[in-house]
């Protein structure tokens, strides 16, 4: 009786670990950071991309207005892909798009805009990438809808027609 | 004489500033070892040389220079990216099993061994 109880115990333990490992290993183990929205954006000072001088974020984002902040770089291929969509958004809708150029060579960044068009009302530089971290960015491109100095929506990866339709609903 | 005193004072101040810098770098390394790389799964910011990891190292260093504590820096990163970014999870309702279960197993195991040992005696 005691021996049967012992065997049953061993089998149960093995079965338990089998289930734990089976479920655990079957699950895709890629983590993604939380998308934190509805929080006040932090103040920062950034260099301008096309002219000398710096600008403070408090002077860029005003209350009661919707902005689009796009983090991009000339070395990022998906950024080239989404550029047409940003141009389309700029030409058809009245939304102020702020460009934040991430860790780029100044000449390459300027050339990128000169060749593909400038969708940005204001272009900023993030030389060491620390401003992007303030927004919780972890890849390029990333686009944020900012209203009342708060991030209300975040797009990871290039924006497309679907995201444009959604962005328009926030402007209205 | 004045010149010697000035030189001594200058060297002392340089040494203090230098040791402070080394301490700060140690703290940057310690924190970045406990922060998850954003783009490379399973690697720490300390080990990674990805663009975002390099930026996080700069942020950590800047915050230390501003006088922020280790916990302040973790709180800042958790606020931006969620609990996920820290390798060592905090004790809360979602992670309490992770912390308590090994201790519980250790106590139960210890008790069983102790009981068996006593019975054999």
């Amino acid at each position: 009786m005691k021996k049967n109880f012992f065997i049953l115990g061993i089998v149960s333990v093995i079965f338990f670990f089998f289930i734990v490992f089976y479920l655990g290993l079957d699950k895709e183990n890629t983590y993604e950071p939380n998308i934190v929205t509805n929080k006040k954006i932090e103040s920062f000072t950034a260099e301008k991309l096309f002219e000398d001088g710096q600008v403070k974020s408090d002077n860029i984002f005003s209350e009661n207005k919707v902005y689009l902040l796009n983090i991009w770089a000339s070395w990022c291929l998906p950024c080239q892909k989404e550029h047409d969509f940003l141009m389309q958004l700029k030409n058809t809708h009245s939304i102020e798009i702020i460009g934040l150029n991430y860790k780029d060579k100044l000449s390459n960044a300027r050339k990128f805009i000169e060749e593909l068009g400038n969708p940005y009302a204001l272009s900023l530089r993030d030389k060491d990438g620390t401003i992007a971290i303030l927004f919780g960015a972890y890849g390029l491109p990333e686009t944020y809808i900012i209203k009342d100095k708060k991030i209300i929506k975040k797009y990871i990866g290039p924006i497309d027609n679907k995201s444009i339709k959604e962005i328009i609903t926030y402007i209205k | 004489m004045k010149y010697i005193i000035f030189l001594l004072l200058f060297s002392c101040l340089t040494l203090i500033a230098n040791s402070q810098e080394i301490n700060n770098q140690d703290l940057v390394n310690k924190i970045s070892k406990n922060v998850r790389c954003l783009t490379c799964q399973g690697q720490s910011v300390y080990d990674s040389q990805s663009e975002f990891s390099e930026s996080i190292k700069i942020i950590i260093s800047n915050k230390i220079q501003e006088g922020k504590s280790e916990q302040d820096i973790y709180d800042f990163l958790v606020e931006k990216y969620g609990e996920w970014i820290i390798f060592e999870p905090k004790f809360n309702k979602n992670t309490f099993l992770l912390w308590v279960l090994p201790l519980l197993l250790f106590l139960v195991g210890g008790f069983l061994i102790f009981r068996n040992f006593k019975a054999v005696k």
Side-chain angles (χ1 to χ4, degrees):
Chain A
M1 181 67 188
K2 205 176 175 184
K3 200 180 167 188
N4 284 348
F5 202 68
F6 180 74
I7 291 168
L8 190 73
I10 296 278
V11 170
S12 312
V13 168
I14 292 171
F15 184 70
F16 173 76
F17 280 106
F18 175 78
I19 293 292
V20 167
F21 279 102
Y22 180 77
L23 293 176
L25 295 173
D26 198 39
K27 205 173 148 189
E28 203 183 331
N29 207 11
T30 47
Y31 298 99
E32 275 183 11
N34 286 358
I35 296 177
V36 182
T37 52
N38 228 5
K39 286 222 161 174
K40 279 251 172 200
I41 52 167
E42 290 202 35
S43 298
F44 62 87
T45 305
E47 275 181 30
K48 291 178 186 172
L49 185 67
F50 288 105
E51 49 203 289
D52 290 337
Q54 294 186 322
V55 60
K56 282 186 177 174
S57 60
D58 294 336
N59 299 331
I60 303 170
F61 304 104
S62 57
E63 308 273 346
N64 301 320
K65 200 173 167 189
V66 181
Y67 296 88
L68 208 66
L69 180 97
N70 177 247
I71 305 179
W72 67 280
S74 66
W75 47 262
C76 142
L77 278 176
C79 299
Q80 292 181 17
K81 204 176 132 192
E82 82 165 353
H83 205 79
D84 282 346
F85 292 103
L86 288 171
M87 289 300 290
Q88 188 187 324
L89 202 60
K90 179 219 170 187
N91 293 331
T92 52
H93 297 89
S94 59
I95 185 165
E96 211 164 295
I97 310 174
I98 315 289
L100 183 66
N101 178 249
Y102 179 84
K103 283 187 160 181
D104 212 345
K105 214 173 154 186
L106 187 61
S107 55
N108 291 349
R110 285 179 174 172
K111 203 176 155 200
F112 181 96
I113 296 292
E114 277 158 19
E115 280 175 7
L116 299 174
N118 188 1
Y120 307 118
L122 179 67
S123 289
L124 305 171
R125 275 189 92 192
D126 186 9
K127 273 204 281 193
D128 58 6
T130 48
I131 300 172
I133 301 293
L134 296 180
F135 283 89
Y138 71 96
L140 288 188
E142 280 193 14
T143 306
Y144 302 80
I145 301 177
I146 297 166
K147 191 183 179 188
D148 294 332
K149 296 189 176 184
K150 279 182 187 167
I151 298 169
I152 52 169
K153 177 85 186 169
K154 176 175 175 175
Y155 295 98
I156 296 160
I159 58 163
D160 51 19
N161 274 327
K162 195 181 156 213
S163 15
I164 284 185
K165 274 181 196 159
E166 212 177 64
I167 291 165
I168 293 165
T169 61
Y170 285 99
I171 311 171
K172 282 172 187 167
Chain B
M1 187 64 184
K2 264 185 189 171
Y3 185 68
I4 293 170
I5 292 172
F6 171 76
L7 262 180
L8 273 172
L9 255 168
F10 184 74
S11 335
C12 281
L13 283 173
T14 317
L15 268 174
I16 291 167
N18 210 17
S19 71
Q20 186 70 32
E21 210 166 90
I22 290 167
N23 285 343
N24 284 354
Q25 191 51 49
D26 283 346
L27 193 55
V28 172
N29 291 347
K30 188 187 169 204
I31 296 171
S32 57
K33 275 177 189 169
N34 195 24
V35 175
R36 201 185 290 270
C37 167
L38 296 167
T39 43
C40 23
Q41 303 286 327
Q43 220 177 6
S44 71
V45 160
Y46 176 82
D47 293 320
S48 164
Q49 270 152 16
S50 75
E51 296 290 356
F52 278 91
S53 292
E54 293 299 330
S55 303
I56 286 189
K57 281 177 207 163
I58 297 170
I59 286 257
I60 295 172
S61 177
N62 291 347
K63 295 257 172 214
I64 290 169
Q65 272 165 24
E66 282 169 25
K68 296 274 192 283
S69 71
E70 191 177 340
Q71 193 53 50
D72 289 339
I73 296 169
Y74 288 140
D75 290 345
F76 166 82
L77 291 169
V78 167
E79 194 199 317
K80 300 289 165 210
Y81 296 100
E83 199 75 48
W84 171 90
I85 192 136
I86 309 293
F87 272 119
E88 200 174 279
K90 277 184 192 164
F91 187 87
N92 59 35
K93 69 175 179 4
N94 294 324
T95 58
F96 89 96
L97 256 185
L98 194 72
W99 289 99
V100 169
L101 203 62
L103 190 74
L104 214 66
L105 285 174
F106 176 75
L107 288 175
V108 171
F111 172 73
L112 287 176
I113 291 168
F114 178 73
R115 208 181 59 171
N116 274 4
F117 186 69
K118 226 177 159 186
V120 168
K121 247 185 170 181

